[in-house]
Amino acid sequence: MQTNLQDIHPNAKIGKNVKISNFTTIYDDVEIGDNSWIGPYVTIFPGARIGKNCRIFPGAVISAIPQDLKFEGEKTITVIGDDNVIREYVTINRGTKASGETRIGNGNLIMAYVHIAHDCIVGNHCILANNTTLAGHIVMDDYAIMGGKTAILQFIHIGAHVITAGGSLVDKDIPPYVKAARYPISYAGINSIGLNRRGFSQESINTIQDIYRIVFQNGYAVSHAKEIVMEKYGNTPEGKSVIDFINNAKVGLMKGFKPSK
């Protein structure tokens, strides 16, 4: 049986008890944390900073240069936290001079064929189902779940605890706690099942439901809806979270609910 078929640069920093399978290539300027497993036929390019207890499956390509014509070869990095599962043929590009890094948090499940482009920030405990595609400069907050084949345009912000339907095209910001579906991407209710699983009280879930009736279902302009939410729920954690998201939305919110005819 052949052994030592990996191509590992001598300057790569490999932690304790890291298992690297055959036919994997690891370049210079790479760091891999303790107890991680790197499967066969994985390529890890310079600038990768991979945490502890990660599992990277065959065919994944980590920290390749950005697919961005403005990239001029600047030194940038890809930061991947602890306890991540990165499945087959995932591609994660490193940052550009815009931010200097692409960053993935802790405890994420990134399923097969997902692409995460340059300068994206993915939070903690997110699930990106198969073939999800993130264009550049996307921010995804904690506990977001993207259905299979979700495509997200650049500069979009996905709030915490969001879930999208499979096949969604996301071209507007999606605020926290909601379900998003249809085209154009629209409000489809709150993510009550996910919130319940994560320990939100029924009172908190009811408050979130009331807030989004105001924002998305009562026909108000966003500016007016925000004023009402601030008046009624501005002192609650849920209200503050939603108002803060709206205030910082750069490309506008997704559309409100419209019943099918």
Side-chain angles (χ1 to χ4, degrees), residues 153-175:
L153 274 62
Q154 62 183 359
F155 296 104
I156 295 297
H157 185 184
I158 306 293
H161 305 282
V162 161
I163 185 169
T164 65
S168 294
L169 174 58
V170 181
D171 58 356
K172 295 291 183 182
D173 291 349
I174 303 178

Side-chain angles (χ1 to χ4, degrees), residues 66-79:
Q67 298 175 99
D68 184 343
L69 294 176
K70 298 187 296 299
F71 182 70
E72 298 177 335
E74 57 266 26
K75 185 174 181 179
T76 57
I77 60 176
T78 302
V79 180

